[in-house]
Every structure is written in structure tokens, then in C-alpha cells.
């Protein structure tokens, strides 16, 4: 595992030893309190110029806490954050000039129309009104938001509101875009518009993108490199292809049973112990010869009648994520 990288000249973001502990909260009147949580635990990261870098991990892994420290919104207990040479721990107010941050909440813009949210963001970032309006119009057009430009954010669906907030984040361009789960709740058309807009900025302007996601499938298609976060630590950091090489000796076997699995067949019971189960579907990661044996078992003899379908596949980023283990086994979302 390569969690620590040597500093590089072309790094836009450099994080060293970043640690943040949320204090324990005592329960009141007999209710249980919450224990102390070390939400980021010595995180080391480097994000290079012009790359789309992902922070991937299950809910509660510490991604948002990490990003809030990166963006100067939260002070770490220890460690350093450098963005384009600026010390963000010492000068958190500089972050706003260096990066555009799309957080999980949109409440600050909710009362505004889509159009005004975009224009206001541009003006707050120092554009004159004419320029802000020109950029607003271009971005709303680019993201297909022109037809709902006059509607208030609070009256939109969750996905539309998210897209409008993303649009606002793009007005008054910053060299670093920090996006926390940007496509949550969006339909496929909106998702594609977001990734196309990200890609365009990277290609045309060299924008660097730091993307928080727990959606492995989406991540695989858009990320240049990814840091897998688990319980506040970076447990792996590489390109999606590089991470997949870590489990390249394995084959993913998916079995779908008609009604229930024939656990009375000993070979099937043995597979059951190694399977991740989701309703009628079992997913197994096996060595190639084990995969062949498993397929022979389920396609022959007593098990076959109970089998609805099976597939064999090379590992996906999701398999890597699961193979890395720990808490990453839970909270995985496919969308
Ligand atoms: P993620 O973004 O990966 O879902 P978070 O950074 O939100 O993870 O949370 C990391 C851990 O810190 C979790 O255990 C969460 O319960 C805890 N946590 C997050 N915010 C707070 C807070 N304001 N107070 C106490 N604990 C928190």
C-alpha cells in the first residue's frame, strides 16, 4: 500500500498528518452519549495539477471532515494543509480565493433563484456584474439549467437543486474545485452534464478537482487517482487501474438463485461462507481455480436447478474497495 507519497512540484494540494478528533458527548437523562471519534487520523495526500482526484470511502469514513479541513472551514488538531503554496491551517481565509467548494448543504442559497445563486456567487468572488451575468448564462446553458433559471432553489427537486449549486460553484472560476458528493440525487442526464463540465474545465483550463464520493461505479469512470479512506486513514492511493492490480489475481463470481440457495449442498454451503449476500444475489471474490470450481459446482448436480444466473468478471474498483476490508465492507452504495 502506498499511503504516503513524496512531495512533488506539481502538487496543488498537499496534506500532511491531518488529524481531527470530535470530543465525546455525554448522554443526558439516561440517553447514551457518543464516544470520542478520531475522524481524520494522520491523513497524507497530494493532489496534482489538472487531475481529478477522488476520496472514496463508506459513510462515516471521515471524507467530509477531511474536506472541511482542506477548505479552511474546520481547524485540524494537528497536521498541515497547503493549497497552491498557501498554508490553509494558518490562513483559512485564503481558501475562498483558491478553491470553489460544493458542500453537502445548499441552505445558504436556498432562497435565491437558480440564476441569482449563480450570479451572486460570481459577484462574491470578485467578478463585476456584467462578467458575472455572462458567466452565469454560459454555465446555466452548459448544464441545461436555462429552463429553470427563474425558479427558487428551495422549490426544486433535490437533484435539480444540487445541479444549480454545482452551477453556482463554477461561476467565478477557481483553480481547484472541491466537490462533496456532487451528483447525489441527480438523474443520469444531470450526472453526465456534471462530469462533462468537470472534464471540460480540466482539459481547457487545467482545473484540479478533488471529488468526495462513496459511489464506486461513478468514481471508476471519472477519477485519475483515488485515495481510499477508512476510519479516518488513507488505506490505499493509486489510479483505479493501479488499485485493481492489487486484486488482479481474483475473479468476481456473481450467483443469482431462483428462490433460495440450496445450502443443503455442502459445496454451496462452503461458498456461502465467503459470499457477500444481497437478496438472491451472492458475490464472491475467488482465485481463478476456485472460481472455476465454484462454477462447476453450481452448474452441475443438485445446485443447478436452484440457479437463476451467474457471471464471472475481472475485479472492479468496488472489489478493491471490498478487498481492502475493514469498515469499508459496510455502507457501500451502488447507484
Ligand atoms: P464521511 O463524510 O466519510 O461520511 P464524516 O467526516 O462525516 O464521514 O464523519 C467521520 C466520523 O466523524 C463519523 O464517525 C461521524 O459520526 C463523526 N462525526 C462527523 N461529524 C461530527 C460532529 N460534528 N461531531 C461528532 N462526530 C462527528
Amino acid at each position: 500500500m502506498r499511503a504516503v507519497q513524496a512531495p512533488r512540484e506539481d502538487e496543488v494540494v498537499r496534506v500532511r498528518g491531518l488529524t481531527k478528533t470530535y470530543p465525546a458527548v455525554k448522554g443526558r437523562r439516561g440517553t447514551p452519549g457518543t464516544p470520542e471519534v478520531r475522524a481524520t487520523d494522520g491523513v497524507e495526500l497530494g493532489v496534482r495539477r489538472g487531475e481529478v482526484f477522488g476520496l472514496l470511502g463508506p459513510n462515516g469514513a471521515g471524507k467530509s471532515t477531511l474536506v472541511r479541513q482542506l477548505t479552511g472551514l474546520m481547524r485540524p488538531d494537528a497536521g498541515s494543509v497547503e493549497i497552491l503554496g498557501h498554508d490553509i491551517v494558518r490562513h483559512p481565509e485564503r481558501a475562498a480565493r483558491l478553491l470553489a467548494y460544493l458542500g453537502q448543504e445548499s441552505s445558504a442559497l436556498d432562497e435565491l433563484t437558480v440564476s441569482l445563486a449563480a450570479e451572486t456567487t460570481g459577484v462574491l468572488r470578485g467578478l463585476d456584474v456584467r462578467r458575472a451575468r455572462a458567466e452565469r448564462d454560459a454555465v446555466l446553458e452548459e448544464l441545461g439549467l436555462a429552463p429553470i433559471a427563474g425558479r427558487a432553489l428551495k422549490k426544486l427537486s433535490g437533484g435539480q437543486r444540487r445541479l444549480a449549486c454545482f452551477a453556482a460553484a463554477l461561476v467565478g472560476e477557481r483553480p481547484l474545485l472541491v466537490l462533496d458528493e456532487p451528483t447525489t440525487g441527480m438523474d443520469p442526464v444531470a450526472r453526465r452534464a456534471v462530469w462533462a463540465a468537470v472534464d471540460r474545465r480540466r482539459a481547457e483550463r487545467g482545473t484540479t478537482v478533488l471529488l468526495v464520493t462513496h459511489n464506486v461505479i461513478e468514481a471508476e469512470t471519472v477519477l485519475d487517482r483515488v485515495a481510499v479512506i477508512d476510519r479516518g486513514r488513507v488505506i490505499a492511493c493509486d489510479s483505479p487501474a493501479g488499485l485493481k492490480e492489487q486484486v488482479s489475481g481474483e475473479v468476481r463470481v456473481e450467483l443469482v438463485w431462483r428462490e433460495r440457495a440450496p445450502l443443503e449442498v455442502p459445496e454451496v454451503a462452503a461458498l456461502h461462507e465467503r459470499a457477500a449476500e444481497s437478496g438472491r444475489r451472492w458475490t464472491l471474490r475467488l482465485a481463478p481455480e476456485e472460481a472455476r470450481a465454484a462454477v462447476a459446482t453450481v452448474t452441475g448436480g443438485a445446485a443447478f436447478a436452484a440457479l437463476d444466473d451467474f457471471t464471472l468478471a475481472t475485479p472492479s474498483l468496488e472489489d478493491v474497495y471490498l478487498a481492502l476490508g475493514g469498515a469499508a465492507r459496510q455502507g457501500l452504495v451502488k447507484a
Side-chain angles (χ1 to χ4, degrees), residues 18 24 35 41 54 84 109 121 147 153 163-164 184 196 199 209 215 238 250 255 260 287 328-329 331-332:
L18 203 66
D41 191 2
L84 292 162
L109 299 173
T121 307
L153 259 67
L163 190 59
T184 304
D199 215 37
V209 184
N215 185 328
D238 208 335
E250 293 181 325
L255 305 174
R260 52 165 219 93
R329 285 179 191 283
L332 190 62

Side-chain angles (χ1 to χ4, degrees), residues 232-252:
R233 300 185 141 266
V234 177
I235 58 170
C237 182
D238 208 335
S239 63
L243 285 175
K244 281 196 273 187
E245 268 179 25
Q246 294 188 13
V247 292
S248 60
E250 293 181 325
V251 177
R252 180 157 44 89

Side-chain angles (χ1 to χ4, degrees), residues 22-334:
Y22 293 112
V25 179
K26 279 196 183 131
R28 286 201 192 135
R29 293 197 206 110
T31 57
T34 54
E36 185 178 280
V37 179
R38 183 160 287 200
T40 53
D41 191 2
V43 170
E44 311 267 329
L45 280 180
V47 181
R48 297 171 201 152
R49 189 179 309 278
E51 76 177 343
V52 181
F53 187 95
L55 298 175
L56 183 69
N59 289 326
K63 305 180 297 295
S64 294
T65 304
L66 171 55
V67 159
R68 290 172 60 76
Q69 294 172 87
L70 268 172
T71 51
L73 294 172
M74 181 185 275
R75 203 184 154 74
D77 298 336
S80 64
V81 176
E82 219 179 85
I83 298 181
L84 292 162
H86 295 269
D87 178 345
I88 296 301
V89 176
R90 185 172 291 176
H91 303 288
E93 75 287 352
R94 294 188 188 169
R97 272 185 285 134
L98 303 169
L99 60 90
Y101 171 53
L102 177 63
Q104 302 256 5
E105 309 287 326
S106 70
S107 44
L109 299 173
D110 265 2
E111 298 295 324
L112 305 181
T113 61
V114 173
S115 169
L116 203 53
E119 180 183 327
T120 304
T121 307
V123 170
L124 288 173
R125 287 183 177 158
L127 301 184
D128 63 46
V129 174
R130 246 183 53 192
R131 180 82 195 277
R133 288 185 178 159
E135 284 201 21
R136 168 200 73 190
D137 291 346
V139 167
L140 296 188
E141 192 61 41
E142 178 182 6
L143 294 172
L145 284 167
I148 57 168
R151 290 180 49 194
L153 259 67
K154 64 179 176 191
K155 300 225 165 123
L156 299 177
S157 75
Q160 288 175 320
R161 193 158 57 232
R162 203 87 190 113
L163 190 59
C165 289
F166 175 69
L170 295 182
V171 178
E173 202 187 321
R174 292 290 182 261
L176 174 65
L177 265 178
V178 181
L179 308 172
D180 193 345
E181 306 270 2
T183 55
T184 304
M186 286 184 191
D187 63 33
V189 175
R191 278 168 195 260
R192 265 201 301 278
V194 167
W195 300 130
V198 164
D199 215 37
R200 203 168 294 128
R201 275 155 189 78
R202 188 238 311 247
E204 291 172 8
R205 303 172 200 175
T207 305
T208 305
V209 184
L210 182 64
L211 172 71
V212 177
T213 183
H214 61 185
N215 185 328
V216 186
I217 293 164
E218 199 163 69
E220 193 154 4
T221 60
V222 298
L223 299 178
D224 296 311
R225 282 195 309 143
V226 47
V228 181
I229 313 283
D230 184 46
R231 285 171 287 194
R233 300 185 141 266
V234 177
I235 58 170
C237 182
D238 208 335
S239 63
L243 285 175
K244 281 196 273 187
E245 268 179 25
Q246 294 188 13
V247 292
S248 60
E250 293 181 325
V251 177
R252 180 157 44 89
V253 179
E254 298 220 11
L255 305 174
V256 183
W257 302 103
R258 283 184 198 284
E259 282 168 13
R260 52 165 219 93
L263 292 173
E264 62 283 3
V265 178
E267 291 88 343
V268 173
L271 289 176
H272 186 223
E273 294 191 349
R274 303 182 58 185
E277 205 172 346
S278 164
R280 295 185 298 123
R281 180 183 300 272
W282 291 7
T283 305
L284 298 113
R285 288 179 300 103
L286 301 173
E289 64 280 12
E290 290 177 317
R292 270 194 293 278
V295 170
T297 296
V298 298
T299 54
F304 188 56
L307 189 68
D308 194 18
D309 195 12
F310 77 91
T311 52
L312 292 180
T314 50
S316 65
L317 198 53
E318 184 176 351
D319 294 303
V320 178
Y321 194 38
L322 293 169
L324 289 167
R329 285 179 191 283
Q330 285 115 42
L332 190 62
V333 172
K334 281 191 194 185

